[in-house]
Amino acid sequence: MFEKINSLPYYLKNADVQPRTRMYIVCLLFGFAGGHRFMMGYKTWILQFITLGGLGIWSLYDLVKIALNEMSMADGKPLS
């Protein structure tokens, strides 16, 4: 009756590799809401949404990491 749910949500399981420029623009516009992390498959997007991007600091940090090509997809694939 009670089954353990082991499957991930569809957006985390099948996150496609995103272009770096698209993620930079999404982070610039929707970084406060964690939109870029959601699209990249990270589970921490909800924390970024609740804290408004860590009051902007977390979003700025991610923006710099994307610009320097140091941030990858949640499963480890590099941004294209």
Side-chain angles (χ1 to χ4, degrees):
M1 181 172 172
F2 297 103
E3 294 181 25
K4 191 173 184 180
I5 299 173
N6 291 326
S7 62
L8 293 172
Y10 71 94
Y11 57 87
L12 295 177
K13 187 188 306 181
N14 296 323
D16 295 330
V17 175
Q18 300 289 341
R20 190 174 69 148
T21 53
R22 181 185 302 159
M23 289 299 96
Y24 185 81
I25 293 169
V26 169
C27 184
L28 190 62
L29 298 176
F30 302 107
F32 68 93
H36 61 289
R37 285 187 170 262
F38 177 78
M39 291 177 69
M40 292 171 71
Y42 286 95
K43 296 178 185 178
T44 55
W45 72 270
I46 191 70
L47 293 174
Q48 204 163 11
F49 180 76
I50 292 169
T51 63
L52 295 176
L55 298 176
I57 297 170
W58 194 0
S59 300
L60 182 63
Y61 177 75
D62 283 351
L63 190 68
V64 170
K65 284 188 74 170
I66 291 171
L68 296 176
N69 204 16
E70 293 179 2
M71 192 167 188
S72 61
M73 298 290 291
D75 59 359
K77 296 176 191 170
L79 297 174
S80 59

